[in-house]
């Protein structure tokens, strides 16, 4: 691909991030960012979104609000070409590194670009025919994981919406099947494979002869047995669980001039006292926030539960001041109820904290998770543990 340029119009807060290409292309866009706030770092990451651009015309990608200007922002563009996927990384260092084009319009510099052969991407999809949307974090490197997660999500959507309803594609499949003498079994697995082949054709322009090679390579492979995966971690996970320390803490809320705020000093002292800890960093693991005895939120921290809680309890104030991102809206009025925090302190096996968090979330369906699922278009996702700490 030729020239690709990203620009930001700081004169308005909505629909102000633009991408300009010199040809018509299909692409996906992803943004992530972080900003230091007091004693922790606020971070966010979105799922990739699909766009189609026109030749030499600007495409509106996103709305970068005033609060976002204080973030270190990274923008990733994945352009689907005939033979390769081109990857571009743009970066805004709190606006300091932008190039002024004219009044209120700045170009965001492209810091890195490279390409991935389409057949390599397709081979990765074929190796994970039976994968679901959520993958292990380390399965794909960043930012390529955004590309693969997007393609797996598209596969999942096709599978759930009935791949056989795409008649033109099924006609191609039947011609391919007859030409190469391939027989697909009538099973759920076939629908999953066909959904993946559709994605390969649509986004990666993989020819049927190359698809035949991929199927030949993996035709003797069988779907993995989930029970084996579970058995491999069951004993170790239970060993970690047996060593978890439990503590329940009542959160003190103060009324300051009509504004309710958590007494963070008392919160820290309670955490340290409950677990006989000297420093905030000594208590890490999984935590559950209850409001009026109803589970509101389940979270985890690999560095400091207190820092995460302090961050959560500040979100209501940010929402009321119009400073927080959209996902903070679900924390509005949290401090109106009686608050309690249950902490599962982990000294060993901290790598299992996210598994425990996910198990509890899926089992108990906290109020925040239900609200996100029903009303919020952009998923909350994990917010990385990038907090800065001061020992006390």
């Amino acid at each position: 691909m030729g020239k690709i340029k990203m620009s930001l119009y700081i004169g308005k807060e909505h629909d102000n991030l633009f991408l300009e290409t010199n040809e018509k292309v299909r692409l996906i866009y992803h943004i992530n960012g972080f900003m230091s706030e007091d004693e922790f770092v606020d971070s966010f990451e979105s799922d990739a979104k699909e766009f189609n651009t026109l030749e030499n015309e600007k495409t509106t990608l996103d709305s970068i609000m005033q609060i976002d200007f204080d973030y270190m922002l990274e923008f990733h563009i994945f352009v689907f070409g005939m033979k390769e996927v081109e990857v571009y990384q743009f970066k805004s260092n709190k606006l300091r590194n932008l190039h002024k084009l004219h009044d209120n319009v700045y170009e965001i510099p492209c810091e890195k670009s490279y390409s991935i052969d389409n057949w390599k991407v397709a081979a990765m999809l074929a190796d994970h025919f039976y994968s679901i949307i959520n993958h292990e974090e380390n399965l794909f490197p960043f930012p390529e994981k955004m590309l693969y997660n997007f393609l797996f999500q598209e596969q999942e959507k096709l599978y759930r919406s009935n791949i056989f309803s795409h008649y033109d594609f099924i006609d191609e499949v039947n011609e391919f099947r007859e030409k190469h003498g391939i027989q697909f079994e009538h099973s759920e697995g076939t629908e999953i494979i066909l959904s993946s082949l559709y994605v390969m054709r649509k986004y990666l322009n993989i020819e049927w002869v190359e698809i035949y090679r991929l199927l030949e390579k993996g035709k003797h492979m069988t779907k993995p047995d989930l029970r084996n995966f579970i058995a491999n971690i069951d004993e170790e996970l239970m060993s970690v669980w047996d060593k978890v320390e439990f503590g329940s803490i009542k959160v003190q809320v103060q009324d300051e001039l009509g504004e309710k705020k958590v007494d963070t000093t008392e919160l820290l002292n309670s955490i340290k006292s409950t677990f006989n800890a000297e420093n905030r960093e000594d208590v890490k693991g999984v935590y559950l926030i209850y409001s009026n005895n109803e589970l509101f939120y389940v979270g985890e921290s690999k560095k400091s539960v207190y820092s995460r809680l302090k961050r959560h309890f500040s979100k209501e104030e940010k929402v009321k001041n119009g400073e927080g991102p959209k996902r903070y809206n679900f924390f509005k009025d949290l401090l109106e109820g009686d608050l309690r925090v249950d902490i599962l302190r982990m000294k060993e096996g901290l790598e299992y904290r996210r598994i425990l968090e996910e198990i509890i979330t899926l089992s108990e369906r906290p109020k925040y998770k239900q609200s996100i699922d029903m009303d919020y278009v952009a998923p909350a996702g994990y917010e990385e543990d990038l907090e800065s700490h001061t020992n006390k």
Side-chain angles (χ1 to χ4, degrees), residues 109-262:
C110 179
E111 293 203 337
K112 183 179 180 182
S113 64
Y114 58 95
S115 61
I116 309 172
D117 290 338
N118 284 353
W119 69 266
K120 289 184 178 180
V121 179
M124 186 66 73
L125 296 181
D127 286 342
H128 299 85
F129 271 138
Y130 298 105
S131 294
I132 58 175
I133 291 178
N134 295 317
H135 300 280
E136 292 293 333
E137 273 195 12
N138 296 326
L139 184 57
F140 307 109
F142 187 87
E144 285 86 352
K145 72 172 184 177
M146 302 310 304
L147 168 65
Y148 288 110
N149 283 349
F150 171 82
L151 295 174
F152 278 116
Q153 287 174 11
E154 292 301 302
Q155 175 192 354
E156 178 82 2
K157 291 176 185 177
L158 287 163
Y159 167 64
R160 298 299 179 190
S161 65
N162 184 11
I163 184 62
F164 293 109
S165 65
H166 296 265
Y167 302 114
D168 291 343
F169 172 70
I170 296 302
D171 287 343
E172 288 187 54
V173 170
N174 287 332
E175 291 180 11
F176 165 71
R177 181 178 56 81
E178 293 175 4
K179 179 178 180 180
H180 295 280
I182 292 177
Q183 295 296 325
F184 288 108
E185 297 180 0
H186 296 288
S187 67
E188 180 183 23
T190 295
E191 296 178 43
I192 293 175
I193 292 175
L194 291 179
S195 298
S196 184
L197 300 187
Y198 186 99
V199 168
M200 293 180 192
R201 294 280 292 161
K202 177 179 179 180
Y203 292 99
L204 304 172
N205 301 298
I206 302 299
E207 298 294 337
W208 284 108
V209 63
E210 295 174 305
I211 288 177
Y212 176 77
R213 296 192 186 105
L214 290 173
L215 292 176
E216 277 290 293
K217 176 183 175 182
K219 70 179 182 179
H220 300 300
M221 297 175 62
T222 59
K223 182 177 179 178
D225 190 341
L226 181 61
R227 290 169 296 186
N228 291 335
F229 295 140
I230 296 174
N232 288 338
I233 67 168
D234 179 66
E235 183 175 347
E236 188 170 352
L237 181 60
M238 289 308 301
S239 176
V240 170
W241 181 259
D242 289 340
K243 297 175 183 177
V244 164
E245 296 180 39
F246 176 79
S248 186
I249 297 168
K250 182 174 175 58
V251 180
Q252 302 295 329
V253 179
Q254 301 172 326
D255 194 318
E256 298 181 4
L257 301 177
E259 293 291 333
K260 293 190 175 183
K261 296 183 179 180
V262 166

Side-chain angles (χ1 to χ4, degrees), residues 46-60:
S46 70
D47 271 0
K49 303 175 184 177
E50 181 178 355
F51 290 88
N52 290 289
T53 70
L54 298 176
E55 182 179 351
N56 295 323
E57 290 191 17
K58 289 184 178 180
T59 300
T60 303

Side-chain angles (χ1 to χ4, degrees), residues 8 31-34 44 64 68-75 90-95 108:
L8 175 65
I31 179 176
N32 68 291
F34 68 92
F44 68 87
I64 306 300
D68 296 325
F69 292 165
D70 292 328
Y71 280 73
M72 298 286 288
L73 299 175
E74 287 188 347
F75 310 88
F90 297 82
K91 190 172 184 178
S92 169
N93 182 5
K94 299 184 179 181
L95 301 184
I108 300 176

Side-chain angles (χ1 to χ4, degrees), residues 362-377:
L362 291 173
S363 172
E364 302 303 311
R365 297 288 296 169
K367 183 177 179 181
Y368 176 82
K369 174 64 176 175
Q370 294 182 46
S371 299
I372 287 290
D373 288 346
M374 290 187 297
D375 300 326
Y376 194 26
V377 176

Side-chain angles (χ1 to χ4, degrees), residues 85 89 99 105 112 136 159 212 307 328 349-350:
V85 178
Q89 176 179 299
H99 307 309
V105 180
K112 183 179 180 182
E136 292 293 333
Y159 167 64
Y212 176 77
S307 295
Y328 283 15
L350 201 60

Side-chain angles (χ1 to χ4, degrees), residues 4-8 12-21 25-31 46-54 57-64 74-79 88 90 108:
I4 179 170
K5 184 169 68 175
M6 181 176 288
S7 58
L8 175 65
K12 63 175 185 176
E13 288 196 357
H14 299 284
D15 297 333
N16 56 0
L17 181 69
F18 305 100
L19 190 74
E20 187 174 356
T21 60
V25 295
R26 171 186 280 128
L27 60 85
I28 56 176
Y29 154 80
H30 165 259
I31 179 176
S46 70
D47 271 0
K49 303 175 184 177
E50 181 178 355
F51 290 88
N52 290 289
T53 70
L54 298 176
E57 290 191 17
K58 289 184 178 180
T59 300
T60 303
L61 293 180
D62 208 343
S63 297
I64 306 300
E74 287 188 347
F75 310 88
H76 296 96
I77 302 294
F78 302 87
V79 179
Y88 298 86
F90 297 82
I108 300 176

